[in-house]
Structure formats: structure tokens, C-alpha cells
Amino acid sequence: MLKLQSVCSDVAGINVLRNVTGEVHAGSLTAVIGRNGAGKTTLLRTIMGAVEIKHGTIHVDGELINHLKAYERSHIGIGWAPEERVIFPTMSVKENMMFPCQIVGHNKGQVQDRIDMVLDVVPQLKAMLDRSGAALSGGQGKMVALGRALMVGTRIVLLDEPFQGLSPALAREYGESLSNLRNSQPDIAIIVTESNAALLHGIADQTFNIERGEITN
Amino acid sequence: MNSGILTLALLDGVSYAGMLFIVSLGLTFIFGVTNILNVAHGSLYACGGYATASIGLWLMGNDGGIINSIFSIIAGTLLVGVIVGLILEYLLRFFEKKPPILQLIITFAFFMILEDVQRLIWGTSPYFVSTIVGEMGNVEVLGVFYTNYQLIVLPGAAVIIYFILNWFLKHSLLGKKIVAVTHNKEVAVGMGVDAKKIKKITFIIGGLLGAFGGALASPTTSMVPGISADIIVLSFAVVATAGLGQVTGALIAALIIGIFRSLSIYLYPELEVVIPYVIMGTVLLFKPQGLFTVEKARRI
Ligand SMILES: Nc1ncnc2c1ncn2[C@@H]1O[C@H](COP(=O)(O)OP(=O)(O)OP(=O)(O)O)[C@@H](O)[C@H]1O
Ligand SMILES: [Mg+2]
């Protein structure tokens, strides 16, 4: 599904990712584990095209996406929940979720089907739909960011430290949502970054340990 | 003080504020979305006014009339707003990764170039086509005769634009994309927004607002060299008083500055030039972020 070959990229002129190679298969959950500053966020931003790839290749389903514009990547089915959530405060939770679908050009029926699917996977969102994006706690924001990523992430879903700041109860619910997702959408490739390996133990099909921008396993 | 003069000053103030708001909105909109303080915005006002007057003069050869005047306002706005807005956006593209101060200097350079372009096209003698003001007639307000154009059209246009822009940003997909890019460009792009296209559209909208302000003002004032500088300092005062990127704030700040400015014209004409700065300075002294800045996320 997603294949990285010797990927290097720079942040603010400093080389961060160094020869990252790895493959993520459809229907699998990949954990990217590393400490603060290891390059987890940079890896996801490189896949999203927010950070320019300096060297190496990224393929999605055999298609080279190195030169695909950053704004075109959601169009090929990559959904991204950024580390800082970034829920737009001027829109309701529902509008936030529908927004990427509307940009990609889905019609009303498709958007509604997708919302129904996401609400099945993340049932906690049902109660929040009409709430303003400005009125969410950090944990609720993480849930909304997950839901929003699933709206367009029909092939690949990138979740950047989703457990960070979640209470143990909410973290458990989030984990349940991930397994719901795998049951309901068995073809999606999921990548989750985390600094604490224990949190993804038992959920992940494969683990990449990342250290100073390099995959060490 | 004579009550007639007070009424007149208030009417003048509200009418001027309407025009000033429209121009300031363009300035604050471009800043809100792109973080560029566009000094050339005053030139958009001037070129919009000149173009409207020229088109008006050219059309009046036929029969004058309100329809021709309205047409010249629309044509002047579209022509100048779109073309000059796009040229500016194109120029700035070369300095995208450069520090903001350099981008500001580029807009200043563009302003200077446009000053000369105006002289080249329209010369230095005043342009003034007030057909529409005459044709729309006068009305008596509290014992003072005032033109319908200034009483209704200018403030009315400001209010309509205020509501349209708010609706557009809140409910249209394009508006939501603009808000999203303003809030967090990288994440908006990750969702599929073409930020370059949004920037272009932003400069067109901002350009249209600047040119529209000039087009609307042209029947009430002569277009002469130097008006670009006059209006950019005034609209900068409005935008800084309101807080950069504040739409509702700009409306209120334009009213305050418009009314105090015209009061001073009638009562203490020698203070006219400094009044906007006194207001701006006083506000910034107590609220350095401007009167209406609430939270960063709510910009535009
Ligand atoms: N804006 C920036 N300017 C300069 N260096 C940066 C910037 N962002 C990240 N870096 C550097 O890039 C490296 C990787 O950062 P990255 O954010 O990818 O780490 P991370 O694994 O996501 O860390 P965390 O667990 O804290 O989120 C870090 O060493 C950091 O110093
Ligand atoms: Mg990170």
C-alpha cells in the first residue's frame, strides 16, 4: 500500500529523516515508536508532502507520489490527524469532519455515508457533532481529528501521537475505535506514532522504531 | 455649535466611514489571510476611482444616466481589482520565502510604481464625474439637505459587503477554505486546499474591495495625485485600531474614525489630518493588539 524507499528530508535546513525505508500493507496497523524529536512527525509530514522529500521515493499502491502536490494527497485517499489536532474553531465538529470531503469533491450522499461509517467507528463523536470546534477539550479534539482523518482516509490513515494527553479511559476508547476501524474498513493502512511503545502493544501488526530520523529495527 | 453643522458632520462621517470600511476591509482581509501588509492597497483605491471616472466620462458621451454610472462603478472595480490584484500577487510570489518586511517593501515599491502609472495614464489634473450624485437627488435630514448617494449608497454598500463577506467566510466552501488556510495553512493543505490558489483569490477579493472603495468615492471627490497615500494611511489607522484581521472591528473603527474626522473638518479643520492617528495612538496605547482582537484563531 505505502512504500518508503531511502527517504530523506530536511526541516528548517537541518537533515531530519535519514534513509527511512519501510512498507505498510493494506489492512495493517503500523506503530512508529520514538522519543521526542526522533522524527515521527516529520515522517508523517513528509508523507503528506508538508515537508519536501530530499531523496528517496514514496509509492502508494505502486504509484510514485514524490511529485504529487501536498494538497493532492488527500485526494488519493490519505487522511491525516496532525499532532496538534487543529480543529477549526469557526466550524462545528460536523462541519470540520465534512470539510475535507467537500474539498475533495464528494457529493452529499457520499459525505453522509462516510459520516455514518465514522460515527460507527468513533461513536463518541455523535454527541459532539453540533458543538463548535472551539469548544472541545484536548482529548475530544483528538477524537474529532481521528474522525476527520477517516473521512477522506480511504486508503491510508496517519495518526500523529493520538494518545498524547488522553486520560486512560479515553485512551482505551480510542484504542477501541482503532479496532472498530479495522473491522469496518479492513483495507485501510493505519500508521500511528507514539513515544510509549506499551500503548500500542497488542494493537500493532508491525513496529518501526525511529531514532534520530533513522529506522533502527 | 450649530445643530445643522453637527448633523452635516455626522452624515459626512457615516458616509465617509462606509467607503473607508470597504477599503480597510480589503487591507485587513489580505493581511489576515497572507500576513502581508499591502501598502499598494491605496493605489487600488486610486486606480479604481480613476478608472470609474474615465469609464464614466467615456459613457456619458452617449446619454449620462444612473445606469451608465452604475456600470462604470462596476467596470472600474472589476477591471482594476482583478488586474492589479493579480499583478501584485504575482510580484509577491518571488518573495514568498523572504522575511515579511521585504514583502512589505515590495508592496511599497509597487505603490510607487503605480503612482507614476496613474500620472502617465490620467495626468495630474483632477478627474470628477458626479453624474450619479446629481441624478439620485437630495433628501432633507433634520433640516439639512444631503445627497441620497452619500446617505444611502455608501453606507448601504458597506453594510451589504459586511454581511456578504461574513456569510461567504462562514458558509461557502471557498470561504471555509480561506478561513482554514488562515488558521493553519499546513493542515488545510493536508486536507486538500490549494493554498496558492487561495492566495490568488485573496488578492483578487482584497483588490476588488480597494478598487470598489475608490469607484464608490469617485462621484463624491476629485481624483487627484496623492489620494493613494491619503487613503492608505487612513485605512491603516482603521485596521490597526480594530486589530489586524478583524472584520467587525474594522466596521466599528471605520465609523469612529470617519465620524471624528468629519467633525474635525467642520469644527477644527487644522486637526483633520492628525485625528485618525490620535484615535489609533490612543487605542494602541491601551490595547496594543487593537480594540477587537480576541483570539488569534478568529482572524478574518
Ligand atoms: N520547526 C522546526 N525548526 C527546526 N527544527 C525542527 C523543527 N521541527 C522539528 N525540528 C527538528 O526535527 C527533529 C524531528 O522533529 P519531529 O517533530 O519530527 O519529532 P517527533 O518525533 O515528532 O517528536 P515529538 O515526540 O516531540 O512530537 C527534531 O530533532 C527537531 O529538533
Ligand atoms: Mg511529533
Side-chain angles (χ1 to χ4, degrees):
Chain A
M1 173 71 78
L2 175 70
K3 198 171 165 192
L4 308 179
Q5 187 72 48
S6 315
V7 170
C8 299
S9 60
D10 297 355
V11 176
I14 301 160
N15 181 230
V16 175
L17 290 190
R18 289 183 283 172
N19 280 315
V20 172
T21 295
E23 191 167 356
V24 170
H25 296 285
S28 72
L29 193 150
T30 302
V32 176
I33 307 293
R35 49 179 84 205
N36 294 125
K40 306 180 293 294
T41 298
T42 306
L43 176 62
L44 300 195
R45 289 175 70 217
T46 308
I47 297 171
M48 287 310 295
V51 173
E52 192 191 343
I53 178 167
K54 275 272 136 77
H55 179 79
T57 56
I58 305 179
H59 287 86
V60 172
D61 282 336
E63 187 196 345
L64 182 73
I65 65 159
N66 279 37
H67 303 293
L68 196 65
K69 297 247 162 49
Y71 71 87
E72 289 169 328
R73 300 195 185 197
S74 65
H75 295 247
I76 62 164
I78 309 182
W80 172 42
E83 189 170 0
E84 329 73 58
R85 302 173 291 268
V86 193
I87 307 303
F88 299 115
T90 48
M91 304 179 202
S92 70
V93 167
K94 190 173 180 191
E95 286 175 308
N96 264 286
M97 287 169 62
M98 294 190 333
F99 184 51
C101 283
Q102 293 166 333
I103 296 169
V104 168
H106 292 167
N107 65 36
K108 279 208 169 102
Q110 290 169 308
V111 176
Q112 193 53 50
D113 288 350
R114 202 71 195 167
I115 288 202
D116 292 340
M117 184 283 285
V118 171
L119 291 181
D120 275 344
V121 168
V122 197
Q124 296 87 340
L125 292 178
K126 278 183 200 146
M128 291 184 225
L129 285 181
D130 295 321
R131 207 181 286 183
S132 154
L136 299 173
S137 73
Q140 291 165 336
K142 288 277 185 190
M143 293 308 233
V144 176
L146 169 66
R148 187 177 57 186
L150 298 182
M151 292 295 287
V152 279
T154 50
R155 295 210 267 183
I156 299 168
V157 172
L158 308 174
L159 306 174
D160 200 351
E161 301 211 33
F163 295 98
Q164 189 188 57
L166 298 194
S167 66
L170 199 55
R172 206 175 318 115
E173 289 179 20
Y174 198 104
E176 279 163 19
S177 290
L178 289 184
S179 44
N180 293 343
L181 174 64
R182 302 188 64 184
N183 294 331
S184 122
Q185 306 286 309
D187 295 330
I188 296 185
I190 309 167
I191 301 182
V192 184
T193 69
E194 185 44 64
S195 46
N196 178 359
L199 274 173
L200 287 166
H201 192 73
I203 310 181
D205 301 301
Q206 66 173 341
T207 298
F208 292 153
N209 292 307
I210 185 166
E211 227 172 273
R212 298 209 208 153
E214 273 177 304
I215 306 281
T216 53
N217 55 327
Chain B
M1 171 176 42
N2 170 331
S3 79
I5 288 190
L6 186 65
T7 311
L8 204 54
L10 282 176
L11 291 174
D12 268 357
V14 170
S15 161
Y16 196 80
M19 182 279 295
L20 188 57
F21 167 69
I22 294 171
V23 178
S24 307
L25 194 57
L27 185 68
T28 211
F29 185 70
I30 290 180
F31 181 85
V33 181
T34 68
N35 269 321
I36 294 171
L37 192 57
N38 178 20
V39 178
H41 197 64
S43 314
L44 279 147
Y45 166 90
C47 292
Y50 270 120
T52 299
S54 293
I55 296 169
L57 280 176
W58 177 64
L59 284 175
M60 301 310 162
N62 306 330
D63 58 0
I66 290 190
I67 300 291
N68 279 343
S69 305
I70 294 175
F71 175 81
S72 57
I73 289 176
I74 295 173
T77 302
L78 291 178
L79 209 66
V80 170
V82 174
I83 294 176
V84 182
L86 279 179
I87 295 176
L88 181 60
E89 190 273 337
Y90 180 75
L91 280 179
L92 285 166
R93 242 183 267 171
F94 297 96
F95 303 91
E96 212 162 16
K97 303 238 157 66
K98 300 282 192 299
I101 184 73
L102 192 66
Q103 307 196 12
L104 188 137
I105 291 171
I106 296 302
T107 69
F108 184 63
F110 192 52
F111 162 82
M112 302 290 276
I113 293 169
L114 286 177
E115 263 321 86
D116 284 342
V117 170
Q118 286 161 38
R119 271 164 227 248
L120 209 67
I121 300 178
W122 291 288
T124 49
S125 40
Y127 270 65
F128 186 47
V129 183
S130 63
T131 323
I132 192 170
V133 178
E135 300 235 358
M136 285 186 70
N138 295 327
V139 64
E140 195 185 329
V141 184
L142 301 170
V144 174
F145 280 95
Y146 206 71
T147 69
N148 276 319
Y149 182 80
Q150 283 167 288
L151 184 73
I152 297 165
V153 175
L154 292 182
V159 170
I160 290 170
I161 283 190
Y162 171 76
F163 283 110
I164 290 180
L165 189 75
N166 271 324
W167 181 88
F168 168 73
L169 292 175
K170 184 109 186 67
H171 297 291
S172 72
L173 182 58
L174 179 58
K176 287 181 188 178
K177 288 183 187 177
I178 294 175
V179 173
V181 169
T182 307
H183 184 63
N184 188 317
K185 185 165 152 188
E186 181 174 308
V187 172
V189 170
M191 288 179 187
V193 181
D194 180 352
K196 291 208 172 86
K197 200 162 121 195
I198 293 298
K199 192 170 178 191
K200 222 181 268 176
I201 292 168
T202 301
F203 271 92
I204 292 178
I205 294 176
L208 286 173
L209 288 168
F212 187 48
L216 282 179
S218 68
T220 66
T221 177
S222 317
M223 291 290 133
V224 287
I227 47 167
S228 324
D230 292 346
I231 199 76
I232 188 65
V233 284
L234 267 176
S235 43
F236 181 74
V238 168
V239 167
T241 305
L244 285 157
Q246 298 299 316
V247 174
T248 306
L251 184 66
I252 296 165
L255 262 179
I256 297 173
I257 289 182
I259 288 173
F260 277 96
R261 177 182 168 275
S262 72
L263 279 175
S264 80
I265 291 178
Y266 284 96
L267 305 176
Y268 309 99
E270 62 278 12
L271 292 184
E272 179 206 332
V273 189
V274 296
I275 282 287
Y277 309 107
V278 172
I279 294 173
M280 178 177 87
T282 316
V283 166
L284 296 187
L285 206 59
F286 294 101
K287 289 201 76 176
Q289 300 294 313
L291 274 182
F292 300 95
T293 301
V294 200
E295 47 170 325
K296 200 160 171 263
R298 292 296 181 134
R299 238 174 36 195
I300 79 144

